[in-house]
Amino acid sequence: MSENLNLGDDARLNAEELEIERALQSLAPAEARVNRDAMMFAAGKAAASRRGVRFWQAACLAIVVGCTGFVVYRPVRTVERDVIVHVPVAAPVQVVQALPEQMGPVLRAFGEGFLRMDEPRASAAETPQADYLSLRRAVLRDGLDALPAPKVVAGKAAVYVPAKKDDLFDALPRWQRQQLTAGGQL
Amino acid sequence: MKMNDSTRPLRSGAQIVRQLTLSAQEFIRSHIPGAPDRKGPVLAVVVAVALAAVHSGWAQTSPGAKKSDDYRTATVKIWPQRIENPVLQYALIPRFSETRKGNAAVTYNGAVAAINKPLSPDDFDQMDKLRALPLAELDDAKVEDLLRDRRTALQVLRDAALMEHADWETSIRERGYRILLTNMSGLRNLANLLTLDIRLDIKNARWKDAAAKLQSGYTMARHLGESDTLIESLVGIAIASAMNKCVEDWVSVPGSPNLYWPIRSLPCPFNDLRHPLGVEMDMPFLVFDQLKEWKKGDYSPDGVSRFVAQMNGMVDMGMLPSPSVPSKLRQPAATAWAIMEYPRAKEFLAARGMSQHEIDNMPVPEALGRYFVRSYEEERDELFKWMYLPFPSSMKAFVQAEKEFQNRAQANSISLLTRILLPSLSHARVTAVRLDVQFAAMSLIENLRAYAAEKQVLPDSLDQLPLYVPVNPMTGKAFVYQRDGDVATLIAPYYKEEQKKDGHKYVIRLQRADVIEGPVK
């Protein structure tokens, strides 16, 4: 409370209040009954209690035991090496199963285009060097007239046109082929 | 029984129309001088088309035209002739003592090469004419002219026919479908020249020579039957059939020795196709290495892609027809195709007793590999098995099986591999049996000649014949025989008896010195 206020307050105090003021002023402070040193001693004594120490000792002991356990029972050391393991892999059944239905029109057209490869084509007779499959198909369908004729130049003698060097080699008898091969001529 | 075994292909319809157009143009130019040039070709085409239409349609619809459902008819004039001892002196296959060791195929190729003067189109025409002429009208000079520079080839052919066996060395195990059959045309030309030579001998009653040359022809046919491929065997059958025509000439000459026992001594079936069929059955496994791997049970993950690559390789080489996709896109197309086959493969395996669990856990390449191999083998065996039963008791079932196969193929319910690789065999089988029908009929004709030599007439029924009477190999039943005086008919119906046009009919006219022959019906 400030000095100014006190002055002002004095002026405003009534008689009873002034009397209390005077009574209070007459009181003298009694001597402290608490001994500071005794209190400090008591505090030190309380602080020196063993219960806290025990707690920390137990905690440390637990940690030490734990670490010791890890050291004693450490995992077996692994050696890295390449091992080929055959693991049966399930087929991507669902994906492939669904593919034919879900294939896009382009992919489906591709597949169907491949399927159409067995459509009949020109008669073997039109291709003198026809392959065996075409020739067989034509002969079994149309008879031996489907066999290719020797090449004929209009009005001139028939001319046999050999296909390739390899074909000529294959047409030779085996002994001659072996002879040529052994002699290094081919 | 005219058999078109010329080595030249038949003319196509377009060629006929073109030829007719040219002829019509020529006709218009020469007969209508004032016709404008612009209208000429148009008119010519119209005339040509009209002529072609008449050629193809009118002949069949006109009342006087020959009915198409008639038998294949051959008229054979026969002279009575008893069987003389030794009965096999005119053997149609070389005797063992005449044969020698060696590979005939090498010598056959030599015979083809020995045709010093290659055949021109005119030669082919001349050859066809001379083979079709009645024996009596055969012009010796023309035949000699055709054979003059080719006699060496025929002599080498004889040498080949005396060889013990023929190994055609087609390398089929290594090359599969890639083999080349380049010698077929040459051998057929040789056989055609040989028939002319035989006809000449028969006409001039040189029986020993004719028989020796018939031996060459029949043996060449047999040697071709030893080859690996169906085509070569069929060429062999065609050559044997051409020799049979010569035997028909033989019996038509008075005094010709009776060939009953030589004909009976020929193997029956003459070419049974067993070996080439065995090759055909396994051909895909010779060509596609991946199929072999799958068959061994090796289902590696990249098996399908390897298989697709092998198929594409075949397409590149022209072995398989090109798929209808651009070549650059063929690989993805093939892969797409393989994916499309997968559900079908699963269905197939399930139908064969595999559990759903097994199928679901099976890698896709394995499922496809199992499917391709197994489905091919099943379809193939289902067809081929009928070839191993006697013709009369199995042919209908065989044709039915083939029809069902075709239906499934059209319905796309058979794997592509099976569809493109499995041959249609019914025609080949019928062709082989037709040859045996001819042999049976000829031995019957010789039987009739022997009977007529003794009784001076034809028998009323086949039961009266003194020697063994063969049945029709196509039906397993007796030949149908009817006699009307000195004319008899011998009918070998087709295995589908209602299909008359595919059956054979021989009109047999007995010739006698005291009978003046009338026109042939």
Side-chain angles (χ1 to χ4, degrees):
Chain A
M1 197 173 285
S2 67
E3 194 69 21
N4 293 333
L5 182 62
N6 287 336
L7 289 176
D9 287 342
D10 285 344
R12 279 183 275 130
L13 290 176
N14 55 30
E16 285 179 3
E17 289 170 343
L18 287 172
E19 189 180 351
I20 291 169
E21 184 182 20
R22 277 190 295 272
L24 288 173
Q25 285 173 347
S26 65
L27 291 175
E31 191 178 347
R33 283 176 289 183
V34 178
N35 186 343
R36 185 184 66 89
D37 294 336
M39 188 185 70
M40 291 297 286
F41 177 78
K45 192 179 176 182
S49 166
R50 297 302 296 174
R51 274 195 295 182
V53 174
R54 292 269 162 73
F55 171 78
W56 286 113
Q57 282 176 341
C60 286
L61 183 65
I63 290 168
V64 168
V65 169
C67 289
T68 308
F70 276 120
V71 170
V72 173
Y73 299 104
R74 64 182 177 181
V76 179
R77 189 183 170 195
T78 56
V79 179
E80 284 188 6
R81 57 196 172 109
D82 293 332
V83 179
I84 298 170
V85 182
H86 290 277
V87 181
V89 179
V93 173
Q94 297 308 319
V95 175
V96 179
Q97 242 179 340
L99 262 176
E101 287 73 34
Q102 295 177 359
M103 278 162 70
V106 176
L107 197 58
R108 182 175 283 279
F110 277 2
E112 286 170 359
F114 198 75
L115 281 171
R116 279 197 298 272
M117 72 189 302
D118 57 339
E119 282 179 356
R121 60 176 184 176
S123 161
E126 294 166 18
T127 53
Q129 293 296 333
D131 60 272
Y132 181 76
L133 268 179
S134 310
L135 208 54
R136 186 185 71 181
R137 194 181 301 122
V139 167
L140 292 178
R141 188 188 57 221
D142 304 329
L144 289 172
D145 290 315
L147 279 177
K151 278 194 175 178
V152 174
V153 182
K156 293 183 182 175
V159 179
Y160 291 89
V161 180
K164 294 172 190 169
K165 183 181 170 188
D166 282 350
D167 301 333
L168 288 173
F169 178 72
D170 291 334
L172 292 172
R174 188 182 291 151
W175 64 268
Q176 211 166 348
R177 293 203 302 261
Q178 286 168 352
Q179 208 172 36
L180 288 170
T181 311
Q185 294 181 46
L186 287 173
Chain B
M1 208 178 63
K2 171 81 174 76
M3 296 191 70
N4 188 352
D5 54 358
S6 164
T7 55
R8 291 169 304 163
L10 291 173
R11 285 178 171 180
S12 67
Q15 283 175 310
I16 292 171
V17 169
R18 202 178 306 126
Q19 187 61 45
L20 288 170
T21 305
L22 291 171
S23 306
Q25 274 182 314
E26 192 62 34
F27 178 84
I28 291 161
R29 282 198 197 106
S30 57
H31 289 81
I32 313 173
D37 282 347
R38 279 190 303 119
K39 289 184 182 174
V42 177
L43 187 59
V45 168
V46 171
V47 171
V49 169
L51 285 173
V54 167
H55 180 74
S56 61
W58 191 12
Q60 288 180 8
T61 53
S62 64
K66 187 182 171 185
K67 288 180 182 174
S68 62
D69 62 348
D70 201 4
Y71 291 107
R72 298 176 178 203
T73 304
T75 301
V76 185
K77 298 173 192 170
I78 62 169
W79 286 86
Q81 184 64 46
R82 67 173 54 85
I83 295 171
E84 292 174 359
N85 290 322
V87 296
L88 289 169
Q89 62 180 306
Y90 296 102
L92 298 175
I93 293 285
R95 296 177 190 288
F96 176 77
S97 60
E98 293 173 318
T99 60
R100 54 175 179 266
K101 281 199 172 292
N103 182 8
V106 178
T107 316
Y108 283 122
N109 286 333
V112 173
I115 302 181
N116 294 325
K117 190 179 171 188
L119 293 160
S120 67
D122 290 342
D123 290 336
F124 279 114
D125 287 340
Q126 182 74 331
M127 197 156 59
D128 286 348
K129 276 182 200 163
L130 292 172
R131 289 173 62 220
L133 274 179
L135 198 62
E137 296 172 26
L138 192 66
D139 187 336
D140 291 27
K142 284 183 179 171
V143 176
E144 285 295 353
D145 188 44
L146 201 56
L147 296 179
R148 185 170 299 117
D149 295 320
R150 292 151 185 140
R151 287 253 174 233
T152 310
L154 295 179
Q155 185 53 50
V156 179
L157 173 64
R158 171 70 181 161
D159 292 342
L162 294 178
M163 299 278 189
E164 206 172 42
H165 76 285
D167 179 359
W168 296 93
E169 298 189 14
T170 47
S171 309
I172 201 158
R173 285 183 181 81
E174 295 79 28
R175 296 177 68 96
Y177 294 124
R178 288 165 291 176
I179 55 166
L180 292 168
L181 302 171
T182 49
N183 57 355
M184 290 298 100
S185 300
L187 289 174
R188 294 175 74 206
N189 289 341
L190 268 180
N192 289 339
L193 290 170
L194 182 66
T195 55
L196 283 182
D197 202 14
I198 294 170
R199 296 196 84 202
L200 206 57
D201 286 338
I202 291 171
K203 185 190 170 194
N204 294 292
R206 298 190 289 259
W207 307 118
K208 291 277 181 195
D209 291 343
K213 287 165 191 169
L214 280 169
Q215 284 184 353
S216 298
Y218 283 123
T219 308
M220 177 161 61
R222 291 273 298 158
H223 279 155
L224 279 164
E226 291 172 20
S227 63
D228 292 327
T229 66
L230 206 51
I231 292 177
E232 285 163 315
S233 288
L234 291 173
V235 170
I237 287 169
I239 289 173
S241 186
M243 296 302 123
N244 286 348
K245 287 289 289 176
C246 295
V247 174
E248 287 177 21
D249 289 331
W250 177 294
V251 299
S252 70
V253 176
S256 56
N258 194 304
L259 292 176
Y260 176 84
W261 287 109
I263 293 169
R264 295 302 323 160
S265 73
L266 292 172
C268 186
F270 190 79
N271 276 353
D272 72 353
L273 305 181
R274 198 168 283 251
H275 173 66
L277 282 177
V279 175
E280 294 286 350
M281 286 174 84
D282 280 351
M283 195 81 103
F285 296 101
L286 300 175
V287 178
F288 295 103
D289 291 337
Q290 189 53 45
L291 282 185
K292 268 192 278 190
E293 298 298 316
W294 282 334
K295 193 164 166 58
K296 282 191 287 187
D298 181 354
Y299 301 107
S300 57
D302 58 346
V304 173
S305 58
R306 278 210 300 261
F307 177 63
V308 163
Q310 284 166 16
M311 286 190 81
N312 276 331
M314 294 274 286
V315 173
D316 288 339
M317 285 188 290
M319 298 289 114
L320 291 179
S322 293
S324 48
V325 291
S327 58
K328 284 180 185 173
L329 300 176
R330 213 189 294 139
Q331 186 70 21
T335 308
W337 158 72
I339 293 170
M340 287 167 73
E341 291 283 77
Y342 180 64
R344 192 185 296 167
K346 289 179 64 178
E347 277 174 28
F348 179 89
L349 295 174
R352 267 72 186 165
M354 199 169 274
S355 72
Q356 201 55 46
H357 178 74
E358 272 181 295
I359 295 170
D360 288 345
N361 288 305
M362 185 180 286
V364 177
E366 181 175 345
L368 284 172
R370 282 178 186 272
Y371 167 61
F372 287 142
V373 171
R374 179 79 186 268
S375 64
Y376 172 78
E377 288 183 329
E378 282 187 14
E379 293 286 354
R380 174 200 66 186
D381 292 356
E382 198 54 37
L383 288 178
F384 276 63
K385 69 181 183 186
W386 298 110
M387 301 290 283
Y388 303 116
L389 290 180
F391 185 95
S393 53
S394 65
M395 193 56 193
K396 284 182 182 169
F398 176 44
V399 169
Q400 182 61 28
E402 208 165 65
K403 200 174 169 185
E404 285 168 10
F405 172 79
Q406 296 295 345
N407 290 341
R408 286 199 298 280
Q410 279 179 359
N412 206 13
S413 62
I414 293 177
S415 82
L416 175 68
L417 179 80
T418 308
R419 255 190 296 151
I420 60 175
L421 296 183
L422 212 51
S424 170
L425 296 169
S426 55
H427 287 164
R429 198 175 188 207
V430 166
T431 304
V433 173
R434 274 192 201 287
L435 183 66
D436 296 326
V437 171
Q438 288 172 17
F439 282 122
M442 284 191 316
S443 75
L444 260 173
I445 289 169
E446 288 298 63
N447 211 341
L448 291 170
R449 287 219 295 158
Y451 181 91
E454 194 178 331
K455 309 281 187 186
Q456 311 305 316
V457 290
L458 290 170
D460 290 327
S461 77
L462 295 179
D463 297 336
Q464 295 176 329
L465 290 173
L467 298 165
Y468 166 76
V469 175
V471 294
N472 175 7
M474 209 167 258
T475 58
K477 298 176 187 168
F479 281 82
V480 179
Y481 175 83
Q482 287 175 331
R483 180 200 161 201
D484 181 10
D486 283 343
V487 179
T489 52
L490 191 66
I491 296 172
Y494 195 55
Y495 75 95
K496 293 177 187 168
E497 294 186 21
E498 70 282 2
Q499 213 164 305
K500 283 177 77 177
K501 65 184 174 60
D502 290 317
H504 292 265
K505 178 178 172 184
Y506 293 87
V507 177
I508 301 161
R509 298 177 63 85
L510 182 65
Q511 309 293 299
R512 284 186 291 198
D514 58 333
V515 173
I516 299 169
E517 189 193 335
V520 176
K521 286 181 184 175

